[in-house]
């Protein structure tokens, strides 16, 4: 049993340490943990009424908006109520920090992308610049990550904040650090998606995987095929219009987050049924039984439909990648349909339904690869497992056997042996919940912990936490996701050597959970504890 968990169990069972937190939070520690931190006991004081950012390099809309956003994050409106109280100083006080120089060394890029530069450097009251503060990065994405780090260094001190004399050099371990939300099983309002993007930025995630449609509903509003949402959405109010999508893409961009859509086919498509001839008619004996199965791969008209739909989708989502799904395809309906049987005989694949799926996926991949936007794509691991020929830059998304590490580690080995880039989700399905402390298993999972060469492990470009929506909607999305997703964020950002001990991570995670709560997000508790934000307002 983990020491922290043991302490909680003993405290609850024996009634010990009444009124004392079971895990004492750190003060002013950064989450995710930076690659390199050197700090002193000396400190500077930041006063909200005098502090400002000064841009000394390149600038752009992304940067200027971020500076204003972080002023609001660091100094919420409640701060003004505390300024009447004097802050304290002692012998470690070094200086007042009234300016943080923000130095962007290269022009801003238009959109975040796979492999973007996110490294940055922070100096606060350093030996070569005493009493001064600076944030330096080559890219605007690095500036965004550095601003989040700086905001976490601030420790409240009456009406002001202390910041230790600190030097940080930081960069992500993995280039793909994703979080998936499912908006088909339960509709999520834009405000909740925006809050999720805010929290992702506060944890240095950089990919929002939007599983936008699935069997239960089709909330995506297509201009080319309006019937899809008119008949497939839960209602005319439970939809995402072109404007809504533009809003989310822009919101993510301003926070350095890519928005990567998923339109999963040929299975998981029951809500697509308004498109004539798209879904396979299921039979009982020799008669249609009134139900439908996966997309019908024998109907050539379906490929024209897919080309038109994905042309529209890729015009709305600017990221180079799109997720094509390809998982959990049931063959039962295909087996029952006489037209499918005849088509397979013509293709000389009688009885080989995995080969039939391969024919479909191969055609879809060819369509997407030759769209005007020349997109790359992600696929769930079944596409690789079934032997489909995929492009060299395909990202294979490993998701199965989350409770069987030996199996998903073997999958990592097979995919990377074949030379494909991959991301891991198997151990990070946040929708699986249990009573008690459950984040240790997330922290102990490492995407490169498998039997492979160094070259193979370099093909693992990151991972993704998934929050499927069967039992998640706007009422519980934020608390169920956070701070459990924060654990995954640190595993994907920080050095492997610094993220192998849950005991040392526990007090830092406790501080971070309270930080998110203080910023107004209902991050759920991870054990018996308390945060300053728990205090009720005075009567």
């Amino acid at each position: 049993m983990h020491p922290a968990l043991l302490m909680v169990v003993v405290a609850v069972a024996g009634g010990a340490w009444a009124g004392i937190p079971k895990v004492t939070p750190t003060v002013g520690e950064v989450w995710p943990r930076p690659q390199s931190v050197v700090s002193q006991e000396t400190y500077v004081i930041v006063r909200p009424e005098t502090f400002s950012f000064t841009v000394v390099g390149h600038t752009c809309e992304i940067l200027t908006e971020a500076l204003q956003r972080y002023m609001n994050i660091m100094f919420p409106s409640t701060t003004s109520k505390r300024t009447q109280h004097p802050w304290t100083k002692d012998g470690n006080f070094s200086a007042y920090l009234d300016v943080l120089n923000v130095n962007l060394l290269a022009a801003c890029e238009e959109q975040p992308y796979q492999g973007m530069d996110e490294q940055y450097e922070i100096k606060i009251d350093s030996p070569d610049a005493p009493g001064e503060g600076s944030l330096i990065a080559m890219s605007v994405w690095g500036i965004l990550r550095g601003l989040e780090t700086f905001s976490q260094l601030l420790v409240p001190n009456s009406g002001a904040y202390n910041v230790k004399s600190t030097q940080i050099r930081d960069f992500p371990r993995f280039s793909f650090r994703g979080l998936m939300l499912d908006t088909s099983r339960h509709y999520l309002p834009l405000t909740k998606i925006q809050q999720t993007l805010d929290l992702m930025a506060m944890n240095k995630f950089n990919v929002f995987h939007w599983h936008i449609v699935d069997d239960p509903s089709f909330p995506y509003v297509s201009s080319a095929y309006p019937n899809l949402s008119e008949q497939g959405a839960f209602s005319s109010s439970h939809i995402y219009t072109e404007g809504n999508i533009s809003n989310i893409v822009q919101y993510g961009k301003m926070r350095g987050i890519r928005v990567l859509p998923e339109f999963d086919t040929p299975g998981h498509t029951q809500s697509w049924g308004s498109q004539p001839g798209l879904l396979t008619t299921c039979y009982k004996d020799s008669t249609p039984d009134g139900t439908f199965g996966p997309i019908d791969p024998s109907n050539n008209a379906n490929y024209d439909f897919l080309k038109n739909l994905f042309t529209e989708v890729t015009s709305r989502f600017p990221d180079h990648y799109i997720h094509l799904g390809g998982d959990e395809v049931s063959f039962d309906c295909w087996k029952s349909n006489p037209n499918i049987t005849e088509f397979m005989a013509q293709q000389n694949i009688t009885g080989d339904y995995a080969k039939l799926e391969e024919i479909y996926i191969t055609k879809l991949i060819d369509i997407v690869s030759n769209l005007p936007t020349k997109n790359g794509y992600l696929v769930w691991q079944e596409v690789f497992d079934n032997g489909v020929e995929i492009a060299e830059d395909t990202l294979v998304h490993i998701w199965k056997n989350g409770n069987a590490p030996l199996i998903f580690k073997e999958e990592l080995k097979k995919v990377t042996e074949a030379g494909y880039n991959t991301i891991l989700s198997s151990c990070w399905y946040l929708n699986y919940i249990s009573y008690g402390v459950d984040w240790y298993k997330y922290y102990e999972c490492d995407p490169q912990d498998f039997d492979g060469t160094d070259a193979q492990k370099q093909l693992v470009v990151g991972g993704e936490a998934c929050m499927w929506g069967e039992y998640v909607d706007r009422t519980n999305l934020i608390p169920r996701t956070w701070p459990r997703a924060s654990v995954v964020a640190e595993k994907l950002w920080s050095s492997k050597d610094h993220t192998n001990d849950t005991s040392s991570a526990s007090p830092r995670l406790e501080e971070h959970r309270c930080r998110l709560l203080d910023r107004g997000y209902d991050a759920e508790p991870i054990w018996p504890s308390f945060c300053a934000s728990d205090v009720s307002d005075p009567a």
Side-chain angles (χ1 to χ4, degrees), residues 1-8 22-26 31 33 428 437-446 484 487-488 490-491 495-511 526-527:
M1 181 177 287
H2 291 273
L5 181 57
L6 177 62
M7 182 164 59
V8 171
K22 311 315 174 190
V23 174
T24 302
T26 53
W31 190 283
R33 183 172 178 173
W428 292 324
V437 181
D438 70 350
W439 66 267
Y440 295 119
K441 60 187 177 184
Y442 304 140
Y443 206 74
E444 291 168 347
C445 180
D446 191 283
R484 294 156 79 236
V487 178
V488 183
E490 178 156 289
K491 291 296 294 188
S495 165
K496 183 177 183 179
D497 294 337
H498 293 160
T499 56
N500 53 16
D501 181 8
T502 56
S503 295
S504 63
S506 293
R508 294 189 300 105
L509 183 60
E510 178 67 15
E511 180 187 7
I526 44 185
W527 37 52

Side-chain angles (χ1 to χ4, degrees), residues 195-240:
Q195 287 177 21
T196 298
L197 290 167
D198 285 332
L199 285 156
M200 288 176 68
M202 293 173 188
N203 290 270
K204 298 188 174 73
F205 279 109
N206 67 356
V207 179
F208 170 44
H209 172 184
W210 192 351
H211 188 89
I212 193 167
V213 300
D214 207 299
D215 283 331
S217 73
F218 196 104
Y220 170 86
V221 177
S222 168
S223 298
Y225 300 98
N227 282 353
L228 288 171
S229 60
E230 288 173 0
Q231 298 184 35
F234 289 133
S235 80
S236 60
S237 300
H238 296 80
I239 55 173
Y240 301 108

Side-chain angles (χ1 to χ4, degrees), residues 17 59 93 102 106 124 148 153 163 168 176 183 214 226 247 250 254 259 275 311 371 399 422 430 452 501 514:
W17 308 305
T59 191
F93 171 72
V102 178
I124 305 295
E148 177 58 36
L153 293 172
V163 180
I168 294 176
F176 190 110
T183 58
D214 207 299
N247 174 293
Q250 179 71 6
M254 303 306 282
V259 181
Q275 176 62 22
T311 297
L371 293 175
W399 70 276
T422 185
L430 304 182
D501 181 8
C514 288

Side-chain angles (χ1 to χ4, degrees), residues 25 39 63 88 97 110 175 201 225 240 244 261 267 338 350 369 391 412 455 461 469 506 521 530:
S39 62
L63 177 55
T88 60
L97 182 68
E110 288 297 315
S175 61
Y225 300 98
Y240 301 108
N244 296 151
T350 297
S369 299
L412 282 165
V461 298
S506 293
Y521 300 96
F530 70 89

Side-chain angles (χ1 to χ4, degrees), residues 58-69:
H58 292 269
T59 191
C60 62
E61 181 187 8
I62 298 174
L63 177 55
T64 56
E65 182 176 304
L67 297 181
Q68 183 57 57
R69 183 168 68 250

